[in-house]
Amino acid sequence: MQTVSTNRSHGGTQGVYSHASRETGTEMTFSVFVPDHAPGEKLPVVWYLSGLTCTHANVTEKGEFREACADLGLIFVAPDTSPRGEGVPDDGEGAYDFGLGAGFYVDATVDPWARAYRMRSYLERELPELIGAEFPADMTRQSIMGHSMGGHGALTLGLRDPERFRAVSAFAPIVSPINCPWGVKALSGYLGEDRVLWRQYDACALIEDGARVPDLLVDQGTADTFLDGQLKPELLRAACEKAGQPLTLRLQEGYDHSYYFISSFMADHLAWHAERLDA
Ligand SMILES: N[C@@H](CCC(=O)N[C@@H](CS)C(=O)NCC(=O)O)C(=O)O
């Protein structure tokens, strides 16, 4: 692992790091905030998955998570949203919703994406191993949150592995990629046309198929331009109600899809995570 930068901030260290990933076959960059802590102490870890077009940098610069993480004693990890670099295929048309910056947290099975687009395994196996080895992280206390495509990532990783993640929350998530244009484009491109394979990457389908977590927290702005066409939180509400899956869905009046929205509720989400992480 290489250190790209470190900065002192809010009584802790904000770092950016890179490493050669065995899953993607590329150099991957991520950020980690570590609050000051006692020698030998290990802190719980909150994972934050970002949305379309993002790198680690968007939330790191605009997410306003550090003060709360320092107060609550939480490590905050922000990975990239896709493999990048020489030889990594992109969609060829410069579209923002497929290819670079749009890995959708899947392991692609269709060529030419299958080689490098392995964000699921990267986040389920490789990066946690690295975080556990290199940082003062208590890997028995992890939680996950995300925004938009990253909200989809957080919900699906969280629902698939409730043993690992003690809390799952999202800002303006894509709740059902099977049922929105962004998701249909991504899942058909990365996985092919067999929709049965898509269900492991769809929060509503996972809940329909029996996945459960103790509770879910979702904030959604009412002025989000993607609300009706892509995000459709009512599908998550319906799936949760039908399955008896607890959900707190908060519609935030006048908030849009941006980091002005995310940063407004970030401390709230972190406090909710901290309670569940015994932080
Ligand atoms: N209108 C945007 C759509 C993508 C978008 O809104 N991305 C969200 C996540 S889905 C984001 O966080 N963008 C980066 C930022 O606001 O810093 C674009 O074309 O770039």
Side-chain angles (χ1 to χ4, degrees):
M1 187 181 83
Q2 286 82 45
T3 300
V4 177
S5 63
T6 56
N7 293 89
R8 183 108 188 111
S9 185
H10 286 283
T13 303
Q14 179 63 63
V16 177
Y17 308 90
S18 70
H19 70 123
S21 164
R22 65 168 188 263
E23 290 293 348
T24 67
T26 65
E27 194 73 8
M28 294 293 284
T29 304
F30 58 94
S31 78
V32 183
F33 177 71
V34 181
D36 287 349
H37 53 283
E41 188 187 4
K42 290 194 178 247
L43 304 176
V45 180
V46 179
W47 294 82
Y48 177 94
L49 304 186
S50 296
L52 292 166
T53 74
C54 291
T55 67
H56 69 282
N58 301 70
V59 70
T60 306
E61 293 165 5
K62 300 191 290 192
E64 299 181 24
F65 55 84
R66 276 175 288 270
E67 186 174 3
C69 283
D71 285 350
L72 297 164
L74 300 173
I75 290 177
F76 190 96
V77 181
D80 205 343
T81 55
S82 77
R84 295 178 197 273
E86 196 101 340
V88 175
D90 197 5
D91 70 330
E93 290 163 12
Y96 73 91
D97 56 1
F98 192 85
L100 299 181
F104 265 84
Y105 306 103
V106 306
D107 282 351
T109 54
V110 170
D111 287 331
W113 319 104
R115 170 65 202 90
Y117 285 76
R118 296 186 52 78
M119 292 304 290
R120 173 181 181 170
S121 289
Y122 178 68
L123 291 168
E124 286 184 348
R125 291 202 293 267
E126 184 174 14
L127 195 54
E129 282 167 24
L130 188 69
I131 297 295
E134 299 282 348
F135 296 90
D138 177 356
M139 301 306 279
T140 67
R141 290 188 292 160
Q142 299 182 62
S143 69
I144 191 161
M145 62 167 73
H147 170 229
S148 195
M149 175 185 73
H152 142 74
L155 292 172
T156 54
L157 265 87
L159 284 160
R160 286 197 307 261
D161 196 351
E163 297 287 310
R164 175 177 168 199
F165 299 111
R166 290 204 206 171
V168 184
S169 76
F171 305 99
I174 300 169
V175 304
S176 185
I178 291 174
N179 290 299
C180 76
W182 279 340
V184 170
K185 179 176 177 180
L187 297 182
S188 59
Y190 292 131
L191 304 175
E193 294 304 332
D194 181 357
R195 291 189 174 222
V196 174
L197 299 178
W198 297 11
R199 295 183 72 79
Q200 61 195 308
Y201 297 115
D202 185 292
C204 293
L206 283 164
I207 291 166
E208 275 168 35
D209 293 346
R212 295 287 180 275
V213 289
D215 50 9
L216 288 169
L217 172 63
V218 172
D219 274 312
Q220 172 63 61
T222 61
D224 187 327
T225 50
F226 300 117
L227 178 55
D228 296 331
Q230 304 280 4
L231 305 173
K232 309 186 182 185
E234 67 280 2
L235 296 179
L236 183 64
R237 195 197 296 280
C240 287
E241 272 173 13
K242 192 162 175 214
Q245 164 62 51
L247 165 72
T248 302
L249 170 60
R250 305 188 300 200
L251 296 179
Q252 304 291 1
E253 194 59 38
Y255 285 86
D256 64 17
H257 196 62
S258 72
Y259 272 89
Y260 293 105
F261 157 63
I262 299 165
S263 58
S264 302
F265 300 99
M266 179 60 88
D268 229 27
H269 280 234
L270 288 167
W272 190 85
H273 283 240
E275 270 175 37
R276 286 153 183 79
L277 290 164
D278 301 323

